[in-house]
Amino acid sequence: MDKYIAQTSRGLADVLEKELQSLGLKVLSKSSIGVEFEADVAGCYKANLHLRTATRVLKPILEFKANSNDALYHGVRKHDFTQYIGPKDTLAIDSTVRDSYFKDQRFVTLKAKDAIVDQFREKFDERPDIDSDNPDLLVMIRIVEDTVSVALDTSGEPLTRRGYRKEQGEAPLREHLAAGLLSLAGWNEDIPLVDPMCGSGTILIEAAMMARKIAPGSFKNKFGFQRLKDFNPDVWETVLSDAMTAETEQPLKIFGSDRDGKVIRVAEANARRAGVDDTIKFERAYVDAIVPPPELEGKKGILIVNPPYGERLGVDEELKDVYRDFAFGLKQNFKGWTMWMISGNDELTGALKLKATRKIQVFNGNIDCRFLEYKIN
């Protein structure tokens, strides 16, 4: 068994921990942005394929102390990187530093690159090329004070990029965050779901994929682990086949609307690419005129919404009116429902004139947000 670290955004570590446990993987520890777990190679493949709230899965390989340039170089070089890729493959290094002797992460990247390629020169008399965009091997280096931690990326392109979203609205949620919000809201496939500001449809598409047990990684062309020398195609085929077999059909209980007809067409196209267009119903509607879909007559459910925060254009009365109109529509037509809103602006949520019953801190990129629960009475 090896140790791995599944990374995520701040606010989603608890959800990610539960995901790992549901996959039968043993959780070892948890931080604000990641969960360490234990797995064999099949578990690594399964985590990359199935995790909805992770952004990457890393495999730690090395940890040492360094307070000088030579110590960094020799610390990296003592590990055999030729076991992962060949001299004709490509390499990239991603470095971060904090409270360290090393002030410039670019220097750390350069020094580590020298240590690794010198190994290949010595052994093969040639070296891998550097490819920052699409490398065969991505080495992640993190230095905090004098501790250097080195890990291999097993994911390749970040897991949050599912591949179904070719077009998007002005400020879309990243896919892993949308999946995390659904889990934080306690949503499951038996609960009717409405997103009245659906934009390019990310929340609803992630919900439909959850309901139908579609593995989020099933859209990716290639994972990082598939480029490494120890990749086992037979194990991967078994993991992938099991995921495909687990997929199910799901009755229509997911609905989205937006005032922009062009954005609705984008959402529909994204849903088709994700294979869930028959699970979601989209329509054009303004928030002050929203009503529960006819299919949900007499039923109560959850609304989840990611409204504009005003972070790009600022807060004005017109934007506050959107929130006021939305609250009016909720009070008139959604009594007994629960509404969850991700907000990056207290002034705007104040315009709702509703009292939040729960507040959960999450981060939408670098924006410190609150995921707010409201009971519509």
Side-chain angles (χ1 to χ4, degrees):
M1 290 286 186
D2 292 310
K3 291 182 180 179
Y4 295 88
I5 298 173
Q7 294 184 321
T8 190
S9 299
R10 283 179 288 177
L12 298 182
D14 289 345
V15 175
L16 177 55
E17 179 184 25
K18 291 177 182 176
E19 272 200 276
L20 286 162
Q21 291 169 338
S22 72
L23 292 175
L25 300 172
K26 182 180 179 182
V27 171
L28 301 176
S29 64
K30 181 173 59 177
S31 71
S32 62
I33 57 169
V35 182
E36 184 183 42
F37 65 99
E38 188 176 69
D40 57 10
V41 66
C44 170
Y45 299 170
K46 189 186 295 186
N48 275 285
L49 181 64
H50 286 280
L51 289 177
R52 301 182 189 279
T53 57
T55 54
R56 289 188 184 277
V57 176
L58 306 181
K59 182 179 181 180
I61 58 170
L62 189 61
E63 187 169 286
F64 59 92
K65 302 287 187 180
N67 268 326
S68 70
N69 299 344
D70 286 345
L72 174 63
Y73 174 89
H74 290 294
V76 172
R77 183 162 181 177
K78 72 181 180 182
H79 185 83
D80 181 15
F81 287 86
T82 67
Q83 65 184 297
Y84 306 119
I85 59 171
K88 297 186 183 301
D89 294 323
T90 57
L91 168 73
I93 298 167
D94 186 289
S95 304
T96 58
V97 297
R98 194 182 78 206
D99 302 328
S100 171
Y101 161 85
F102 304 98
K103 305 301 180 187
D104 190 340
Q105 62 192 36
R106 293 170 298 178
F107 176 81
V108 171
T109 296
L110 183 63
K111 206 69 178 174
K113 183 264 295 181
D114 289 344
I116 294 171
V117 300
D118 286 352
Q119 282 186 352
F120 283 86
R121 282 201 189 97
E122 185 178 276
K123 189 170 183 177
F124 302 106
D125 201 29
E126 58 179 322
R127 48 153 288 183
D129 288 331
I130 300 299
D131 182 348
S132 299
D133 296 323
N134 190 29
D136 295 306
L137 176 65
L138 175 59
V139 179
M140 311 286 285
I141 298 178
R142 184 170 183 258
I143 303 180
V144 179
E145 297 180 349
D146 63 350
T147 301
V148 182
S149 302
V150 184
L152 306 181
D153 169 51
T154 70
S155 300
E157 188 176 32
L159 299 178
T160 191
R161 296 177 192 163
R162 313 285 200 235
Y164 62 75
R165 201 165 69 178
K166 303 300 183 185
E167 300 176 78
Q168 54 194 36
E170 292 181 348
L173 287 177
R174 290 162 70 189
E175 292 92 318
H176 78 285
L177 176 56
L181 297 182
L182 287 158
S183 295
L184 289 171
W187 181 81
N188 63 58
E189 64 271 16
D190 296 323
I191 302 174
L193 175 66
V194 174
D195 181 354
M197 299 185 198
C198 69
S200 54
T202 307
I203 292 174
L204 300 172
I205 293 170
E206 289 296 316
M209 289 169 58
M210 291 169 66
R212 295 178 59 170
K213 297 180 172 56
I214 298 174
S218 60
F219 303 100
K220 287 176 70 76
N221 292 325
K222 205 165 194 179
F223 290 91
F225 60 75
Q226 291 176 274
R227 301 183 178 200
L228 304 182
K229 284 182 177 180
D230 64 354
F231 172 58
N232 189 321
D234 293 334
V235 173
W236 171 236
E237 283 301 319
T238 299
V239 170
L240 192 58
S241 176
D242 289 346
M244 298 299 179
T245 302
E247 293 182 8
T248 64
E249 295 299 318
Q250 185 66 26
L252 183 73
K253 287 187 180 178
I254 301 175
F255 302 85
S257 59
D258 198 280
R259 65 179 181 178
D260 188 335
K262 182 180 178 181
V263 169
I264 288 293
R265 290 190 291 274
V266 168
E268 290 172 336
N270 289 340
R272 280 194 297 273
R273 278 186 287 268
V276 295
D277 51 309
D278 58 345
T279 308
I280 310 170
K281 180 180 178 181
F282 293 102
E283 66 177 5
R284 186 180 182 188
Y286 289 84
V287 291
D288 60 342
I290 56 169
V291 295
E295 295 90 340
L296 299 180
E297 185 176 356
K299 298 179 180 179
K300 311 298 182 188
I302 290 179
L303 302 102
I304 299 182
V305 60
N306 172 39
Y309 311 154
E311 74 277 6
R312 290 181 303 108
L313 302 177
V315 174
D316 56 22
E317 285 303 312
E318 184 178 355
L319 186 52
K320 287 183 181 179
D321 282 342
V322 172
Y323 280 70
R324 295 182 186 115
D325 291 344
F326 178 44
F328 176 81
L330 290 175
K331 293 171 185 175
Q332 291 297 308
N333 302 312
F334 285 87
K335 291 183 175 65
W337 284 61
T338 298
M339 189 271 285
W340 284 87
M341 173 182 286
I342 179 171
S343 171
N345 191 302
D346 291 341
E347 184 180 356
L348 288 170
T349 50
L352 293 171
K353 302 298 183 185
L354 296 171
K355 184 176 177 58
T357 49
R358 288 182 65 194
K359 298 181 181 181
I360 302 173
Q361 184 182 31
V362 294
F363 281 78
N364 185 4
N366 293 322
I367 305 173
D368 184 0
C369 297
R370 297 297 180 270
F371 193 40
L372 305 167
E373 179 191 49
Y374 298 92
K375 301 292 186 182
I376 311 302
N377 297 315

